[in-house]
Amino acid sequence: MDFSEDEIQRYARHILLPEVGGTGQETLLKARVLIIGAGGLGSPLALYLAAAGVGRIGLVDDDVVDLSNLQRQIAHVTARVGHAKVESAAEAMRALNPGVTVDCHNIRLGPDNVRELVRGYDIVCDGCDNFATRYLLADACVLERRTLVSAAVLRFEGQLSTFRPHDGGPCYRCLYPSAPPAGMVPSCAQAGVFGAVTGVMGTLQATEVLKEILGIGEGLSGRLLVWDALAMRFHTIRLSRDPDCRLCGEHATIHDLSGHAPAAASAAVHGAACGHEAMAPS
Ligand SMILES: [Zn+2]
């Protein structure tokens, strides 16, 4: 291990943990994580991954910071309203830890760019705000054999799971075979979201990403964590692989992304101002 004095100090509380140690910290510094959405979930996620020393962090978002974002999207500040979200979040991450590399992808994900993007990283995090992107990303991760850590929030509820079908776990489509009809599940922009709920879920997502990188503890592959913030109750639901899944099943029919609409068309279902639709109607 070849840490500088500054790195030894910065990561001292990690290095003290037997589950992380110097070797684990070195693994984090070499890891590459892609975050889709620099919003309510992406803010704490990006900040905690940067703080933890994840060496390369990619941010994907084509939106600009809006005043209505600041109730929960804590990587952004009032002075950066109107700035590109990826640049604004990158500024906060670099201020926190100049040792990490942040790749800003100020683009909308589409079938033409998602696979190449996903291929450049080890783990992918979904914190997006629309079903078109969610399914596109889920499909691309299965096709590229990338672990997907996926979170969603709406009102006072959050959900989190990890999809690793290349290791035998279920994929997103095993859980939700296809997107609900447009308008059936309201977006945060329509139904609202309690700001701190996105902070908790994004932080839980960061915890799971770091555990996946380090290979420690019990991950959420095959389990869905559901949190009801009003009742303050967490519970987990067992998920099993669907042998008839169109994406990861034995007789899969999805072999590429040709069934997805181009990025420009999918923008129509983009929930502009706010957060993240729930994974399913609740
Ligand atoms: Zn599946």
Side-chain angles (χ1 to χ4, degrees), residues 171 173-174 245 247-249:
C171 80
R173 283 190 189 265
C174 290
C245 176
L247 183 59
C248 76

Side-chain angles (χ1 to χ4, degrees), residues 267-281:
V269 294
H270 181 47
C274 170
H276 314 281
E277 284 156 333
M279 283 178 177

Side-chain angles (χ1 to χ4, degrees), residues 142 165 169-175 240-249:
V142 171
C171 80
Y172 185 73
R173 283 190 189 265
C174 290
L175 180 58
S240 47
R241 195 160 184 172
D242 175 6
D244 297 323
C245 176
R246 291 195 296 141
L247 183 59
C248 76

Side-chain angles (χ1 to χ4, degrees), residues 2-278:
D2 195 17
F3 293 122
S4 67
E5 278 302 313
D6 275 4
E7 284 177 320
I8 291 170
Q9 274 194 43
R10 180 182 286 276
Y11 304 121
R13 302 299 184 278
H14 266 171
I15 294 169
L16 277 174
L17 295 167
E19 292 82 356
V20 184
T23 311
Q25 189 58 53
E26 204 177 15
T27 305
L28 293 174
L29 288 164
K30 286 180 182 159
R32 304 168 304 167
V33 176
L34 183 66
I35 299 173
I36 313 302
L41 293 163
S43 287
L45 177 57
L47 291 172
Y48 271 113
L49 295 187
V54 170
R56 179 171 285 274
I57 303 166
L59 292 175
V60 182
D61 203 307
D62 69 338
D63 215 348
V64 296
V65 180
D66 185 86
L67 194 56
S68 68
N69 299 151
L70 300 182
Q71 165 252 20
R72 67 206 171 281
Q73 301 185 12
I74 57 168
H76 310 302
V77 296
T78 310
R80 294 199 291 270
V81 166
H83 294 214
K85 278 192 178 178
V86 287
E87 297 294 345
S88 169
E91 195 174 326
M93 293 158 75
R94 290 176 188 130
L96 181 59
N97 188 352
V100 302
T101 302
V102 184
D103 304 326
C104 291
H105 304 285
N106 190 359
I107 54 168
R108 172 152 287 270
L109 276 193
D112 55 327
N113 60 18
V114 64
R115 287 187 71 165
E116 194 187 342
L117 203 53
V118 161
R119 215 178 290 145
Y121 297 86
D122 309 311
I123 294 183
V124 179
C125 313
D126 185 0
C128 79
D129 62 355
N130 66 88
F131 281 108
T133 303
R134 203 165 274 270
Y135 279 85
L136 177 69
L137 190 63
D139 291 359
C141 285
V142 171
L143 295 171
E144 295 294 338
R145 301 175 62 82
R146 288 295 186 271
T147 297
L148 174 65
V149 182
S150 187
V153 293
L154 190 66
R155 300 190 185 103
F156 293 91
E157 192 185 291
Q159 300 185 4
L160 178 66
S161 190
T162 297
F163 300 103
R164 269 199 335 223
H166 47 281
D167 279 337
C171 80
Y172 185 73
R173 283 190 189 265
C174 290
L175 180 58
Y176 303 120
S178 49
M184 194 161 140
V185 178
S187 69
C188 291
Q190 294 160 331
V193 62
F194 205 52
V197 169
T198 63
V200 171
M201 294 312 296
T203 304
L204 288 173
Q205 195 176 12
T207 308
E208 289 308 303
V209 169
L210 296 171
K211 282 168 59 190
E212 289 289 333
I213 295 169
L214 294 165
I216 58 172
E218 193 184 344
L220 278 177
S221 175
R223 293 190 296 158
L224 175 69
L225 177 77
V226 180
W227 178 41
D228 177 346
L230 278 182
M232 194 43 81
R233 278 196 195 100
F234 286 91
H235 64 277
T236 51
I237 299 162
R238 282 269 158 210
L239 303 177
S240 47
R241 195 160 184 172
D242 175 6
D244 297 323
C245 176
R246 291 195 296 141
L247 183 59
C248 76
E250 272 177 50
H251 307 289
T253 54
I254 300 172
H255 304 293
D256 56 40
L257 301 176
S258 56
H260 291 268
S266 70
V269 294
H270 181 47
C274 170
H276 314 281
E277 284 156 333

